[in-house]
């Protein structure tokens, strides 16, 4: 045949999806619609000079040959592959091919759906989910959530290390049951403050571990009144008292990736009678073609009259303009993306289900909201270093703790290293180099330069992530300010040194006159007619006892000096 019948021609030429017809034996393109011309950048005349091989990257030609061999002449063939446009841009597509006879020649009718945006969207979601999960799984503190009854609903793996319980053992359990009895009243009082809208940081109580021992815990908590969930961070206070700066809460699981579907299509005349209803429309709107053809669209779908469907379709016909919109159709509980084109005979409508896309966008927003809640509950400096681009990203604690107005001076790995104290810099470089060759966790203490030129001590802990080929691509870590701890350690060391010096000095200065007393006492005792022998003996015994005490002081001083040097 030389042309389509009116319905098929309308469907082919006005379809927003690229379509063409190619000969079975030569693969030459013999017909193409406007959408394909726009998508691929070729003119209609240029298209007629091409074969379908010209639309494939050179490295995919063998795959094309294999696919053609697998064509089933009596069926609709569907597969995913790559195409390239006139400019050489390569993108992923989903191809639908059906056999037909055109101008008396065996041909194939091909419809192409560009799925590159969908694939990119899926990749973005997967990366965000992976990043959040890695932060959660590798946190050294317990990240958990309680419902309004105080029961665990979420818990990170750090519970094994801190409490001895796995997350599975804690889920559904009453959190108060693990609190030491003497601390329960205070814990309940803190819980009321939190659910009343107060943010609590560094609240301390004692928890009963699985082995029955007690452990002190520092809590940071925030109440989400909308979801009626309390998000918490529990830190082991026996190792460090200061609260964790910024720990990401476990985000809700991101919904499944948007399924790829083909467009549904129907056409109506100027009296709103349905003249065409394709198979995809039957599936999506759950109405057989026989029930809808020649029926008035608004009599069948009265529920759509108050919605955009009615107003936008009428505007398209009245103003003779194409319209594009999204609308929710409650009877089927689906979101639809609609494109309607006016024509002399009526209206052509293309639409597809985007419910899953809307739900995914909602899930991402909720995920970001939960991330922001955790970010406000902690104070540590959180950093994210992209090892591929050498880009370093910091949270707001970087400015608050170090005194910088912006993070512009520290936006790369190399600039971060430059802020490390010169005496610590080489050690930190070597430590990072070692972990990049291996994998897993990294931990180091070092001094970092503040905005005023002074340095603060930090305990930095990070986790290394690799791609599927084992190449390091990202490090995510948290810097805990331990400057006050270092100051206290230095004060203790200086005080101990002063004690040692005093002990050494007293031992030598006191024993010299004591030795003189013992010598004189001995000389007087040797005189036979000495009438004070009893008093001299008492004086001698007291001097010997004092000498013994001084020796003990000297020995313990030496012993402590030796232990300090170790």
């Amino acid at each position: 045949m030389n042309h389509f019948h009116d319905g098929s021609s309308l469907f082919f030429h006005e379809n927003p999806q690229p379509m063409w017809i190619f000969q079975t034996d030569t693969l030459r393109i013999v017909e193409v619609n406007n959408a394909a011309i726009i998508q691929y950048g070729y003119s209609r005349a240029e298209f007629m000079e091409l074969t379908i091989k010209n639309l494939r990257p050179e490295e995919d030609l063998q795959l094309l040959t294999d696919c053609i061999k697998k064509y089933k002449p009596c069926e609709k063939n569907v597969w995913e592959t790559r195409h390239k446009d006139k400019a050489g841009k390569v993108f992923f597509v989903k191809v639908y091919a059906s056999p037909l006879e055109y101008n008396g020649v065996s041909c194939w009718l091909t419809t192409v759906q560009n799925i590159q945006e969908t694939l990119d969207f899926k990749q973005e979601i997967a990366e965000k989910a992976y990043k959040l999960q890695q932060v959660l799984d590798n946190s050294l503190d317990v990240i958990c959530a309680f419902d309004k009854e105080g029961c665990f609903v979420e818990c990170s793996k750090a519970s094994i290390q801190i409490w001895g319980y796995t997350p599975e053992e804690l889920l559904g359990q009453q959190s108060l049951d693990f609190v030491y009895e003497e601390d329960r009243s205070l814990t309940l009082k803190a819980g009321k403050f939190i659910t009343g809208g107060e943010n609590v940081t560094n609240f301390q109580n004692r928890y009963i571990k699985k082995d029955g021992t007690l452990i002190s815990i520092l809590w940071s908590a925030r109440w989400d009144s909308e979801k009626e969930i309390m998000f918490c961070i529990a830190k082991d206070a026996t190792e460090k008292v200061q609260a964790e700066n910024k720990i990401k809460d476990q985000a809700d699981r991101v919904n499944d990736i948007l399924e790829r579907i083909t467009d549904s299509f129907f056409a109506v005349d100027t009296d709103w009678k349905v003249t065409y209803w394709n198979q995809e429309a039957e599936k999506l709107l759950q109405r057989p073609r026989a029930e809808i053809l020649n029926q008035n669209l608004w009599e069948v779908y009265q529920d759509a009259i108050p919605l955009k469907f009615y107003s936008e379709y009428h505007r398209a016909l009245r103003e003779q303009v194409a319209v594009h919109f999204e609308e929710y159709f409650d009877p089927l509980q689906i979101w639809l993306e609609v494109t309607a084109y006016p024509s002399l005979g009526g209206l052509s409508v293309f639409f597809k289900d985007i419910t899953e896309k809307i739900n995914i966008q909602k899930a991402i927003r909720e995920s970001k909201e939960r991330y922001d809640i955790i970010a406000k509950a902690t104070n540590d400096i959180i950093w994210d270093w992209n090892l591929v681009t050498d880009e370093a990203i910091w949270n707001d604690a970087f400015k608050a703790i170090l005194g910088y107005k912006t993070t512009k001076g520290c936006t790369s790995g190399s600039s971060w290293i430059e802020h490390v104290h010169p005496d610590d810099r080489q050690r930190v470089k070597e430590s990072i180099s070692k972990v990049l060759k291996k994998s897993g966790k990294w931990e180091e203490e070092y001094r970092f330069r503040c905005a005023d030129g002074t340095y603060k001590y930090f305990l930095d802990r990070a986790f290394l992530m690799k791609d599927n080929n084992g190449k390091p691509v990202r490090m995510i870590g948290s810097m805990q300010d331990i400057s006050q701890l270092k100051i206290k350690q230095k004060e203790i060391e200086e005080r101990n040194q002063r004690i040692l010096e005093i002990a050494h000095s007293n031992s030598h200065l006191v024993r010299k006159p004591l030795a003189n007393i013992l010598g004189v006492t001995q000389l007087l005792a040797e005189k036979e007619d000495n009438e004070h022998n009893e008093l001299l003996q008492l004086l001698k015994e007291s001097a010997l006892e004092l000498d013994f005490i001084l020796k003990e002081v000297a020995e313990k001083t030496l012993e402590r000096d030796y232990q300090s040097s170790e």
Side-chain angles (χ1 to χ4, degrees):
M1 62 180 177
N2 294 327
H3 56 275
F4 301 108
H5 60 76
D6 291 343
S8 297
S9 177
L10 179 65
F11 181 80
F12 181 84
H13 289 290
E14 296 190 21
N15 198 312
Q17 299 287 6
M19 299 181 70
W20 56 72
I21 300 172
F22 69 90
Q23 293 179 348
T24 302
D25 53 354
T26 65
L27 305 183
R28 186 172 66 84
I29 297 174
V30 296
E31 186 59 83
V32 65
N33 72 352
N34 291 331
I37 293 172
I38 295 172
Q39 175 74 48
Y40 288 83
Y42 294 102
S43 66
R44 182 176 300 277
E46 288 173 330
F47 252 113
M48 298 308 166
E49 298 297 326
L50 303 178
T51 70
I52 59 174
K53 289 183 177 182
N54 298 119
L55 302 179
R56 303 300 195 281
E58 186 175 351
E59 58 269 25
D60 292 356
L61 291 179
Q62 184 58 47
L63 293 175
L64 173 62
T65 302
D66 295 340
C67 286
I68 293 174
K69 291 179 180 179
K70 296 177 182 179
Y71 273 15
K72 297 178 180 179
C74 297
E75 299 180 15
K76 186 177 183 179
N77 297 270
V78 182
W79 70 93
E80 293 182 6
T81 185
R82 296 193 305 168
H83 277 184
K84 68 174 182 178
D85 60 18
K86 184 177 180 179
K89 180 181 178 181
V90 178
F91 49 92
F92 279 91
V93 296
K94 191 169 186 179
V95 178
Y96 303 83
S98 302
L100 84 162
E101 184 177 319
Y102 187 78
N103 289 339
V105 178
S106 174
C107 295
W108 288 85
L109 173 65
T110 301
T111 303
V112 177
Q113 179 184 3
N114 189 333
I115 61 172
Q116 187 64 54
E117 182 178 351
T118 300
L119 295 176
D120 293 342
F121 190 56
K122 290 167 59 179
Q123 180 65 25
E124 179 184 356
I125 293 173
E127 289 176 356
K128 290 182 178 179
Y130 177 75
K131 179 178 177 180
L132 288 172
Q133 191 61 47
Q134 287 298 312
V135 171
L136 179 66
D137 289 345
N138 293 284
S139 170
L140 299 179
D141 301 325
V142 176
I143 301 176
C144 56
F146 306 135
D147 61 18
K148 62 181 180 180
E149 305 298 331
C151 295
F152 282 93
V153 294
E154 292 288 349
C155 188
S156 67
K157 294 180 180 179
S159 63
I160 301 173
Q161 179 68 27
I162 294 181
W163 294 324
Y165 292 99
T166 65
E168 291 75 16
E169 291 175 312
L170 294 172
L171 294 182
Q173 299 296 318
Q174 172 57 247
S175 61
L176 200 63
D177 293 342
F178 299 92
V179 178
Y180 186 52
E181 186 173 358
E182 294 181 4
D183 296 343
R184 290 182 180 177
S185 176
L186 192 60
T187 302
L188 285 171
K189 185 177 179 181
K192 291 181 179 179
F193 274 111
I194 297 169
T195 55
E198 297 289 336
N199 294 334
V200 172
T201 58
N202 294 338
F203 168 74
Q204 184 170 337
N205 64 6
R206 287 168 289 180
Y207 248 51
I208 305 171
K209 298 175 65 174
K210 190 172 184 179
D211 60 9
T213 60
L214 294 180
I215 181 172
S216 294
I217 299 294
L218 281 175
W219 293 88
S220 296
R222 182 181 178 89
W223 176 252
D224 188 330
S225 59
E226 181 180 349
K227 300 178 178 60
E228 295 189 320
I229 293 178
M230 184 186 298
F231 296 97
C232 304
I233 296 175
K235 184 185 292 291
D236 182 354
T238 60
E239 297 180 357
K240 56 183 186 304
V241 178
Q242 296 182 359
E244 195 73 23
N245 278 337
K246 185 179 181 184
I247 301 296
K248 298 180 180 66
D249 188 18
Q250 181 178 17
D252 287 339
R253 298 292 181 183
V254 182
N255 290 342
D256 252 350
I257 302 303
L258 184 67
E259 290 183 358
R260 300 174 297 277
I261 59 171
T262 58
D263 282 3
S264 301
F265 170 80
F266 72 84
V268 294
D269 61 18
T270 54
D271 294 325
W272 300 106
K273 288 185 178 180
V274 178
T275 59
Y276 190 84
W277 194 266
N278 76 349
Q279 186 176 4
E280 294 301 323
E282 289 184 304
K283 293 178 182 178
L284 185 55
L285 298 182
Q286 302 175 20
R287 189 174 297 276
R289 186 178 309 176
E291 293 183 6
I292 191 68
L293 286 178
N294 297 317
Q295 300 295 315
N296 184 283
L297 180 67
W298 306 119
E299 290 179 359
V300 176
Y301 287 102
Q302 296 184 20
D303 293 334
I305 294 177
L307 305 176
K308 287 184 181 179
F309 303 108
Y310 186 88
S311 59
E312 289 298 289
Y313 291 170
H314 278 76
R315 183 169 73 88
L317 273 183
R318 181 178 64 254
E319 301 178 9
Q320 287 295 293
V321 294
V323 295
H324 180 85
F325 61 92
E326 295 176 359
E327 181 63 291
Y328 182 72
F329 191 55
D330 188 65
L332 297 178
Q333 296 185 346
I334 58 174
W335 279 91
L336 295 175
E337 180 181 353
V338 182
T339 305
Y341 300 93
S343 62
L344 295 177
L347 195 67
S348 301
V349 180
F350 297 87
F351 57 100
K352 58 184 176 182
D353 183 354
I354 59 167
T355 306
E356 190 165 4
K357 175 183 174 182
I358 296 295
N359 291 338
I360 288 176
Q361 291 172 343
K362 179 182 178 182
I364 292 176
R365 287 195 301 270
E366 292 177 353
S367 175
K368 184 179 182 303
E369 290 171 1
R370 295 195 177 204
Y371 172 87
D372 292 340
I373 289 172
I374 294 181
K376 294 176 182 178
T378 59
N379 296 311
D380 285 350
I381 298 176
I382 305 299
W383 53 269
D384 184 350
W385 181 16
N386 188 320
L387 299 174
V388 178
T389 64
D390 194 35
E391 179 185 9
I393 300 174
W394 306 82
N395 71 333
D396 290 339
F398 177 90
K399 296 180 286 185
I401 294 177
L402 298 173
Y404 290 100
K405 293 182 178 180
T406 69
T407 61
K408 290 182 179 180
C410 197
T411 57
S412 66
S414 57
S415 59
W416 166 49
I417 292 295
E418 288 301 318
H419 282 71
V420 175
H421 193 282
D423 294 343
D424 301 337
R425 193 172 298 157
Q426 186 59 35
R427 171 170 52 83
V428 173
K429 284 182 179 180
E430 293 174 356
S431 176
I432 293 176
S433 179
K434 288 180 181 179
V435 78
L436 290 178
K437 294 177 181 178
K438 298 178 181 179
S439 61
K441 300 176 182 177
W442 173 76
E443 181 176 322
E444 195 65 63
E445 285 188 14
Y446 57 85
R447 288 162 289 178
F448 199 85
R449 188 170 70 246
C450 300
D452 60 5
T454 61
Y455 287 85
K456 286 188 177 183
Y457 283 90
F458 287 94
L459 173 61
D460 202 344
R461 291 168 172 163
F463 183 80
L464 175 67
M465 288 181 283
K466 296 184 176 182
D467 60 17
N468 294 333
N469 298 320
K471 178 183 177 182
V473 294
R474 189 180 295 272
M475 283 185 73
I476 299 175
S478 65
M479 294 167 58
Q480 178 190 359
D481 185 356
I482 58 172
S483 301
Q484 292 301 317
L485 177 62
K486 288 293 184 180
I487 292 173
K488 290 181 180 179
Q489 288 177 344
K490 186 176 180 181
E491 291 174 353
I492 293 172
E493 291 172 358
E494 292 175 350
R495 185 168 60 250
N496 289 341
Q497 183 61 35
R498 288 196 298 271
I499 292 173
L500 289 174
E501 292 173 355
I502 293 170
H504 278 295
S505 175
N506 288 345
S507 174
H508 289 84
L509 294 175
V510 174
R511 290 197 69 201
K512 182 178 179 180
L514 180 61
N516 294 335
I517 293 172
L518 286 172
V520 173
T521 304
Q522 182 65 29
L523 291 174
L524 293 173
E526 290 176 356
K527 293 183 179 183
E528 296 181 357
D529 58 347
N530 194 330
E531 61 182 7
H532 299 294
N533 281 341
E534 185 176 346
L535 291 175
L536 289 172
Q537 181 62 29
L538 182 59
L539 178 60
K540 181 179 180 179
E541 289 176 358
S542 298
L544 289 172
E545 183 178 357
L546 179 57
D547 184 52
F548 177 78
I549 292 172
L550 289 173
K551 286 180 180 179
E552 273 198 335
V553 170
E555 289 174 358
K556 290 185 178 295
T557 301
L558 290 173
E559 179 183 350
R560 184 165 184 174
D561 194 12
Y562 174 75
Q563 291 175 349
S564 298
S565 65
E566 289 184 332

